[in-house]
Amino acid sequence: TTRRGFSSAREAKQALTQLKAEFDAGKFKTKAQDMTLGELFKKWWAVYEPSVKAATSGHRYRTYSNHFKKYDDLKLSKLNTLWAQDVVNELAKEFKSYKTLLSVLKLVTNYGIRLELIEKDPFALVVYPKPLENSTKVHNTKNNFYSKDELKLFLDRAKASPNPVFYPFFRLLAYSGIRSGEISALNWSDIDFNEHTISITKTVSRDSRNNLNFIAEPKTEKSTRTIFIDDETLKALKAWKTTQAKFLLARGVNALSDSQLMFPTHDNRIAGTTVANSRINTFYNQNPDLRRISIHGFRHTHATLLLEAGLNIKDVQERLGHKNVQITLNIYSHVTQQKKQETVEKFANYLES
C-alpha cells in the first residue's frame, strides 16, 4: 500500500508503524488469502504424494475428489467454523465413518495453517454429531455379511453359473476372508496345492490420477500372511486354472508363467475394484432373489462364521491380517458379545447340571 503527504520523516515512520500493526491484526487481506481450497490442495498434494506409499496417496486423492472437490472454488478466507460445521453435518448424514473421510480435508487445511494461508483451524470448534441411524450407508454396513444358509445358496448359484470365474472367485473370497485387492493381486505361484496354502504378499492399488491399477505392498505388515485353504476351494481353483489356461493359450498368452494372475481382467490385465464390483453386480442381476452384500461383505461373512463356529479371536485376527486384535474385536463385536453370553450360559449350565 502507499501513503503520501507527510510533512516530516517522523510522521511517515509513525504511519508505517500503524500500518504494520494493522497488518499483523489481519486488517489487510493478502493475495495468499484469496487462494482457493483447490489451489491449496494442489500445493499440499505436491508435498504429500512423494512422502507416502502410492496406495495411501491414491486413497487420499480419491477421498478428496469424491467428497471435497465441490469446495475447490472456495476462498481460504471463507473457511470458517460455520462452513466446517456444514461439511461435518453433511458427511455425518451419509457415512458412519465420516471422521475418516474428514481427516483428508483436515490434512489440507492444516497445511494451509502451517503456511499461514489460513488464520485459524476451521474445525477447532466444530461439534461432531453421531452418524444418523436412518442413513442408508450406515444401515447397509450392519448386515453386510451372509449367514451360513445364505452363503450356501449364493455359492450353489455361482457354481451353476455359465460364467466359469464366478464360483472360484466368490468361493475363495468367502472361504479365505482375503480383501478384494489381495485376491486381484494373486498369481498362480502364490498357491501351493500340495500344502493347501495361499501366500498373501501384495495387493492391487489404484492410481486415480493416471487411471491405472498396479501391484503394491500389502495394507499393513500383518497383511502379509500364509493361510490354509479347504479342499473344495482348491478343487474349484484347479478347475479355473485349467479353464483360464485354455482361454489364454487361444490368445497366444503363456498361461504357465509364474506371474500369471489368478483373476485378471478379460484382456489379462490387473483387475481393480471396478472389475470385482462388476462381477458381483452381474451375478446379482442374474439372481435377483438373492440378498445383496458388497465384495467386502464376503470378508465379513468369513470372519463372522469363523467366530460363530467357535474359533479363537486371535486366530481370526491372524487369518484376516488385521494389524491388531482390537480391530477384529471392534468390527465383530456383535458376534463376540454373543459368544460371551453363550460362555456364561454354558458355565452356568455346567455348574447346575
Side-chain angles (χ1 to χ4, degrees):
T1 187
T2 303
R3 296 289 186 274
R4 295 187 178 86
F6 302 110
S7 59
S8 66
R10 182 180 179 183
E11 278 186 35
K13 289 178 180 179
Q14 286 176 339
L16 177 59
T17 302
Q18 179 65 28
L19 283 171
K20 286 182 177 179
E22 291 174 353
F23 177 82
D24 291 338
K27 182 177 179 180
F28 297 100
K29 185 167 69 173
T30 65
K31 288 184 178 180
Q33 288 173 301
D34 280 332
M35 183 184 292
T36 64
L37 182 62
E39 291 169 336
L40 176 62
F41 173 80
K42 290 178 182 177
K43 288 184 176 295
W44 168 77
W45 182 254
V47 176
Y48 177 79
E49 184 185 23
S51 68
V52 296
K53 291 181 180 179
T56 302
S57 65
H59 175 70
R60 303 281 196 204
Y61 190 88
R62 286 194 301 275
T63 300
Y64 182 89
S65 298
N66 291 339
H67 302 287
F68 308 117
K69 195 170 182 60
K70 57 188 175 183
Y71 304 115
D72 268 2
D73 294 334
L74 200 63
K75 302 290 186 184
L76 298 186
S77 58
K78 301 294 183 181
L79 305 189
N80 52 33
T81 304
L82 184 61
W83 165 79
Q85 188 67 65
D86 286 342
V87 172
V88 169
N89 292 345
E90 186 176 333
L91 286 175
K93 287 178 183 177
E94 289 192 82
F95 301 97
K96 185 174 183 179
S97 302
Y98 73 90
K99 290 183 181 178
T100 302
L101 300 175
L102 192 64
S103 65
V104 178
L105 181 58
K106 284 185 174 182
L107 286 172
V108 180
T109 56
N110 287 340
Y111 183 68
I113 292 169
R114 286 200 299 274
L115 293 182
E116 298 182 347
L117 300 176
I118 300 175
E119 290 184 14
K120 61 181 181 179
D121 183 3
F123 294 97
L125 301 177
V126 159
V127 176
Y128 293 95
K130 289 183 179 180
L132 298 179
E133 287 302 317
N134 61 356
S135 164
T136 303
K137 290 180 176 120
V138 173
H139 178 71
N140 284 344
T141 61
K142 291 182 177 179
N143 298 305
N144 192 27
F145 60 89
Y146 277 149
S147 67
K148 182 171 67 173
D149 291 338
E150 286 177 316
L151 178 61
K152 185 178 184 306
L153 176 60
F154 180 97
L155 292 178
D156 283 346
R157 295 282 184 84
K159 194 172 186 178
S161 171
N163 190 325
V165 75
F166 281 167
Y167 182 62
F169 181 75
F170 293 125
R171 172 93 191 189
L172 183 56
L173 281 174
Y175 274 72
S176 67
I178 65 177
R179 301 175 178 93
S180 61
E182 292 170 341
I183 194 173
S184 296
L186 288 175
N187 307 110
W188 286 111
S189 57
D190 292 323
I191 187 169
D192 190 324
F193 287 102
N194 294 323
E195 296 296 326
H196 289 215
T197 60
I198 286 184
S199 298
I200 302 164
T201 60
K202 51 196 178 299
T203 189
V204 170
S205 289
R206 178 75 176 168
D207 183 344
S208 300
R209 299 190 74 187
N210 297 311
N211 196 32
L212 57 85
N213 300 312
F214 62 95
I215 304 294
E217 292 180 2
K219 187 175 181 181
T220 65
E221 187 177 335
K222 280 285 187 180
S223 295
T224 300
R225 60 204 188 277
T226 299
I227 60 174
F228 287 94
I229 299 297
D230 64 286
D231 289 338
E232 176 60 26
T233 303
L234 287 173
K235 181 181 175 182
L237 290 173
K238 282 181 180 178
W240 166 239
K241 185 177 183 181
T242 301
T243 301
Q244 184 195 59
K246 291 177 181 177
F247 176 78
L248 292 174
L249 288 172
R251 293 189 165 199
V253 178
N254 179 15
L256 301 178
S257 170
D258 286 343
S259 62
Q260 176 57 47
L261 294 164
M262 282 191 197
F263 300 104
T265 62
H266 68 279
D267 55 354
N268 205 34
R269 288 195 271 184
I270 299 171
T273 305
T274 304
V275 174
N277 288 336
S278 177
R279 281 185 186 136
I280 197 168
N281 286 334
T282 299
F283 181 77
Y284 279 133
N285 289 337
Q286 294 169 354
N287 297 271
D289 59 312
L290 295 179
R291 185 170 69 85
R292 293 186 176 228
I293 63 173
S294 69
I295 286 291
H296 198 70
F298 288 93
R299 180 169 165 83
H300 290 320
T301 298
H302 183 72
T304 300
L305 295 181
L306 284 178
L307 291 167
E308 287 181 355
L311 265 73
N312 182 285
I313 189 71
K314 186 69 176 175
D315 292 335
V316 175
Q317 176 222 335
E318 294 290 338
R319 188 167 176 83
L320 293 179
H322 283 154
K323 188 175 182 181
N324 56 63
V325 76
Q326 191 60 48
I327 296 174
T328 316
L329 286 168
N330 290 343
I331 296 175
Y332 302 104
S333 59
H334 64 290
V335 186
T336 53
Q337 284 299 114
Q338 178 185 329
K339 300 304 292 185
K340 286 176 184 177
Q341 184 177 347
E342 289 176 4
T343 300
V344 172
E345 290 173 356
K346 286 180 181 178
F347 178 72
N349 291 337
Y350 172 74
L351 292 180
E352 293 168 7
S353 62

